[in-house]
């Protein structure tokens, strides 16, 4: 039985009011979670760097003006988390170009404009990300329509396209709305929510250009691609995957459609040329940590968690040791594997090939680099947005396939069983997503905060101490962590910030402070301090990344 015939019963599912209402209700729940509680979670290291960049200051200026061996307040630190007096948009671009060229300026310029208009609080800055994140839904809707050419929940049958387009679109929107992965990055003051939106709009525009093959359509595609490149350079891998799709679709013939597609790609890269030159000139090792090797067993563990986090995030910790992980992870891995299998078996070539290339576009090169060269490039989920989108589309297809199974008198039991399985899996996946969004709404931290996961606990220890002084230097991640920590410190806390990242001497600790903490000291720094003060430091708190010592 062909895929067309097998899915023609969609109209029975898609036109039923209950299905439309449930999907719309799930989408509404997802929108609520995106717009609620987005300023509750810890403002972490990387977000603090977002505020630093849009302030117009550079890290070098902070080291010179703040990390200068004197005691300052948290308010003094926070001055560098707001647009500086006299700083302009050109200072924002210069800060990125000079120190962080791996992050193009589009998102930061949007954030600078936003905070200049509405203020630079954590809530205000994150509200921009939350609003941008809402555009995932229309972008995904457009992509689904270009894949299947049928409005969601429609009763109109289009024989030349996949029968379950309406149910597929509704499920894809619902899954995206309550995906904890997409929710967390939609509530973070970074560029990954914007990148998600631009990937969707670029992909939809690309498929539209393939269908219409007009200069206007290809120009729109180039525009979205250029915007994506000015958001994150990894967008180029998505573009290369789409170029492979174009060549396969046209059977590697250099016809008019292929020529226009290649010109569209070239035009976008040409528009990105100025920042490419900045990247070339900077040669900044901003992500050198990704090349540090980790055990292969941990790589596989993290890859498994990548899949699970698209649908479920357990409460509490990173999820590695939570009991529910061991219950849900095997089920979700099987669900995703079967989804891609069914997509390849039942969907038309143009559909499954596009979804597969989208999912593999960034993930495959990063995984291959880690396996061949060593490193942990593929462990950072924020770089895997295309993989998560492809995974979501594959699962939505499987659920639509099961829900729209056709009633055949001779095989009625099998079809009823498929629909029951589809309903059960749909309820499970959407239920897990809603539960995860609920956990996130009550949490003060999340696994996406990575090195700042335990920063709220560090802040509580410091704030609870009598007359506290926090000593830190510019070693490792300390500059960004001090900036982030300053958002949670009480006014009575003072900081002694030491300028050199390679400490050779320790300033004299003022005697008027009752409690002296040392934040993330290097081993050398700690030994110097113990020698000077003639007492040992005691460890008050630590996790993998954060260490708080006390004299």
């Amino acid at each position: 039985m062909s895929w067309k015939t097998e899915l023609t019963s969609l109209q029975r599912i898609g036109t039923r009011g209950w299905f439309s209402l449930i999907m719309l209700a799930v989408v509404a729940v997802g929108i609520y979670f995106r717009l609620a509680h987005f300023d509750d979670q810890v403002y972490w290291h990387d977000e603090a760097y977002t505020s630093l960049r849009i302030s117009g200051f550079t890290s070098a200026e902070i080291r010179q003006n703040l990390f200068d061996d004197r005691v300052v307040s948290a308010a003094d630190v926070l001055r560098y988390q707001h647009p500086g007096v006299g700083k302009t948009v050109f200072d924002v671009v210069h800060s990125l170009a000079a120190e962080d060229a791996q992050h193009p300026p589009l998102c930061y310029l949007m954030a600078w404009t936003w905070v200049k208009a509405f203020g630079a609080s954590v809530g205000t800055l994150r509200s921009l990300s939350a609003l941008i994140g809402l555009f995932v839904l229309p972008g995904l809707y457009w992509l689904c329509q270009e894949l299947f050419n049928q409005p969601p929940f429609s009763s109109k049958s289009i024989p030349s396209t996949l029968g379950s387009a309406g149910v597929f679109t509704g499920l894809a929107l619902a899954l995206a709305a309550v995906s904890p992965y997409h929710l967390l990055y939609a509530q973070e003051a970074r560029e990954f929510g914007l990148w998600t939106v631009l990937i969707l709009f670029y992909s939809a525009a690309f498929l539209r250009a393939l269908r219409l093959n007009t200069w206007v359509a290809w120009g729109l595609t180039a525009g979205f691609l250029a915007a994506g490149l000015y958001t994150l350079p990894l967008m180029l891998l998505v573009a290369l995957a789409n170029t492979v799709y174009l060549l396969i679709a046209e059977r590697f013939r250099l016809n008019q459609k292929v020529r226009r597609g290649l010109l569209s790609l070239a035009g976008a890269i040409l528009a990105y040329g100025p920042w490419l030159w900045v990247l070339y000139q900077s040669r900044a090792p901003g992500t050198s940590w990704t090349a540090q090797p980790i055990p292969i067993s941990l790589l596989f563990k993290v890859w498994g968690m990548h899949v699970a986090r698209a649908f479920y995030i357990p409460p509490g910790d990173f999820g590695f040791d939570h009991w529910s992980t061991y219950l849900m992870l095997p089920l979700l891995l099987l669900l995703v594997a079967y989804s891609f299998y069914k997509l390849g078996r039942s969907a038309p070539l143009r559909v499954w090939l596009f979804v597969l290339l989208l999912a593999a576009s960034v993930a495959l090169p990063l995984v291959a680099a880690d396996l061949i060269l060593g490193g942990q490039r593929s462990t950072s989920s924020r770089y895997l947005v295309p993989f998560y989108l492809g995974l979501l589309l594959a699962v939505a297809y499987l659920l639509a396939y099961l829900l729209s199974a056709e009633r055949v008198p001779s095989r009625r039991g099998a079809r009823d069983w498929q629909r029951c399985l589809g309903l059960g899996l749909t309820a499970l996946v959407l239920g897990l997503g809603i539960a995860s969004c609920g956990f996130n709404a009550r949490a003060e931290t999340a696994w996406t905060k990575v090195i700042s996961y335990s920063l709220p606990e560090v802040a509580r220890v410091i704030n609870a101490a009598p007359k506290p002084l926090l000593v830190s230097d510019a070693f490792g991640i300390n500059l960004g962590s001090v900036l982030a920590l300053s958002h949670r410190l009480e006014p009575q806390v003072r900081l002694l910030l030491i300028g050199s990242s390679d400490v050779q001497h320790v300033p004299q600790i003022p005697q008027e402070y009752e409690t002296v903490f040392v934040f993330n000291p290097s081993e050398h720094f700690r030994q110097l301090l113990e020698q000077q003060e003639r007492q040992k430091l005691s460890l008050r708190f630590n996790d993998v990344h954060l260490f708080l010592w006390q004299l």
Side-chain angles (χ1 to χ4, degrees):
M1 183 177 297
S2 70
W3 59 270
K4 295 179 184 177
T5 306
E6 195 158 335
L7 297 176
T8 52
S9 65
L10 160 70
Q11 297 171 8
R12 253 190 316 281
I13 301 279
T15 56
R16 289 176 182 172
W18 62 264
F19 180 82
S20 301
L21 289 175
I22 290 175
M23 295 301 104
L24 290 174
V26 172
V27 169
V29 169
I31 292 174
Y32 165 76
F33 279 123
R34 274 168 165 75
L35 299 179
H37 310 290
F38 54 73
D39 57 346
D40 291 346
Q41 288 195 356
V42 58
Y43 200 66
W44 77 288
H45 175 281
D46 285 19
E47 289 180 295
Y49 264 99
T50 297
S51 292
L52 170 61
R53 298 307 172 197
I54 64 177
S55 75
F57 292 100
T58 63
S59 300
E61 288 177 296
I62 289 186
R63 287 188 173 92
Q64 179 181 350
N65 300 335
L66 198 63
F67 284 72
D68 60 352
D69 301 355
R70 63 188 174 94
V71 175
V72 297
S73 67
D76 293 324
V77 179
L78 288 175
R79 284 181 51 238
Y80 298 91
Q81 294 285 276
H82 304 272
V85 177
K87 297 290 186 179
T88 69
V89 66
F90 298 104
D91 295 299
V92 177
V93 176
H94 172 262
S95 177
L96 290 164
E99 297 183 339
D100 206 9
Q102 61 177 322
H103 294 289
L106 178 59
C107 179
Y108 299 88
L109 295 179
M110 293 174 64
W112 181 85
T113 304
W114 186 262
V115 300
K116 292 291 282 187
F118 302 106
S121 69
V122 170
T124 300
L125 192 52
R126 282 180 171 169
S127 68
L128 173 62
S129 298
L131 291 175
I132 289 173
L134 294 180
F135 284 89
V136 165
L137 300 174
L140 184 60
Y141 170 88
W142 186 19
L143 176 58
C144 291
Q145 299 321 294
E146 290 300 333
L147 278 172
F148 296 107
N149 250 340
Q150 185 174 328
F153 320 124
S154 172
S155 61
K156 180 190 267 187
S157 174
I158 302 179
S160 62
T161 63
L162 183 63
S164 63
V167 170
F168 169 83
T169 303
L171 286 166
L173 292 174
L175 288 172
V178 297
S179 167
Y181 172 85
H182 292 292
L183 170 69
L184 286 170
Y185 283 112
Q187 292 186 330
E188 191 169 280
R190 297 295 281 168
E191 64 265 44
F192 303 102
L194 176 62
W195 190 39
T196 304
V197 171
L198 290 173
I199 289 172
L200 289 169
F201 276 89
Y202 163 64
S203 298
F206 171 79
L207 291 176
R208 178 176 178 269
L210 280 179
R211 179 168 53 84
L212 300 179
N213 194 30
T214 64
W215 282 115
V216 173
W218 284 114
L220 182 64
T221 303
F224 282 124
L225 176 55
L229 289 170
Y230 272 103
T231 303
L232 204 69
L234 288 174
M235 187 71 172
L236 183 59
L237 294 177
V238 181
L240 293 177
N242 280 352
T243 302
V244 171
Y245 179 86
L246 170 63
L247 293 173
I248 294 175
E250 298 303 313
R251 300 181 182 180
F252 297 94
R253 295 172 297 182
L254 193 62
N255 55 25
Q256 184 189 69
K257 190 176 292 187
V258 171
R259 290 195 299 271
R260 289 183 175 182
L262 293 176
L263 285 173
S264 172
L265 174 63
I269 294 176
L270 184 63
Y272 185 57
W275 201 258
L276 272 178
W277 178 251
V278 170
L279 275 172
Y280 173 76
Q281 291 289 95
S282 69
R283 298 183 178 90
T287 54
S288 57
W289 62 268
T290 59
Q292 298 175 5
I294 61 175
I296 188 68
S297 59
L298 182 57
L299 270 180
F300 280 101
K301 192 174 183 179
V302 173
W303 294 342
M305 291 301 296
H306 282 330
V307 174
R309 285 166 175 163
F311 309 102
Y312 174 65
I313 296 177
D317 56 16
F318 281 83
F320 290 119
D321 301 314
H322 197 273
W323 64 268
S324 62
T325 300
Y326 296 94
L327 178 65
M328 300 310 307
L329 182 56
L331 178 61
L332 292 173
L333 289 174
L334 286 173
L335 173 65
V336 169
Y338 187 61
S339 296
F340 278 102
Y341 167 78
K342 182 55 68 176
L343 183 72
R345 286 292 303 270
S346 302
L349 173 65
R350 65 181 180 85
V351 172
W352 69 255
L353 181 62
F354 183 87
V355 174
L356 185 63
L357 287 173
L358 176 65
S361 58
V362 176
L364 187 59
L366 295 184
V367 168
D370 285 346
L371 293 177
I372 297 171
L373 304 176
Q376 48 185 303
R377 303 162 188 83
S378 60
T379 63
S380 185
S381 60
R382 59 186 179 270
Y383 301 136
L384 300 178
V385 169
F387 167 77
Y388 280 94
L389 292 174
L391 187 153
L392 182 151
L393 292 170
V395 171
Y397 181 90
L398 172 66
L399 298 178
Y401 178 90
L402 294 173
L403 288 174
S404 58
E406 182 186 8
R407 288 181 179 271
V408 180
S410 61
R411 301 176 62 188
R412 179 173 179 176
R415 297 306 177 195
D416 287 344
W417 179 85
Q418 281 194 15
R419 279 192 296 274
C420 288
L421 177 62
L423 287 171
L425 289 176
T426 301
L428 174 66
V429 174
L430 293 180
L432 287 174
I434 293 172
S436 299
C437 292
F439 298 150
N440 176 73
R442 298 192 300 270
E444 65 179 356
T445 190
W447 59 271
T448 51
K449 310 308 178 187
V450 200
I451 57 178
S452 301
Y453 183 88
S454 300
L455 211 58
E457 184 63 28
V458 172
R460 276 192 290 270
V461 174
I462 297 171
N463 290 331
K467 296 192 69 174
L469 175 70
L470 180 66
V471 182
S472 187
D473 63 359
F475 175 75
I477 63 172
N478 286 0
L479 191 150
S481 294
V482 167
L483 290 174
L485 183 60
S486 64
H487 289 272
R488 289 193 166 247
L489 294 180
E490 298 293 341
Q492 77 274 10
V493 179
R494 294 295 181 266
L495 302 93
L496 175 57
L497 302 178
I498 301 171
S500 175
S501 60
D502 182 19
V503 177
Q504 299 301 325
H505 74 282
V506 179
Q508 191 66 37
I509 304 296
Q511 297 300 311
E512 64 263 29
Y513 297 99
E514 295 183 24
T515 313
V516 178
F517 295 104
V518 186
F519 182 58
N520 272 10
S522 65
E523 181 68 20
H524 175 64
F525 181 19
R526 189 163 60 88
Q527 290 174 358
L528 283 178
L529 187 59
E530 288 176 339
Q531 290 173 7
Q532 174 179 296
E533 299 299 319
R534 297 181 181 178
Q535 58 178 301
K536 290 290 185 182
L537 292 170
S538 60
L539 188 61
R540 287 293 306 273
F541 178 85
N542 78 281
D543 62 7
V544 176
H545 302 286
L546 302 179
F547 294 81
L548 184 67
W549 299 79
Q550 181 179 343
L551 276 174

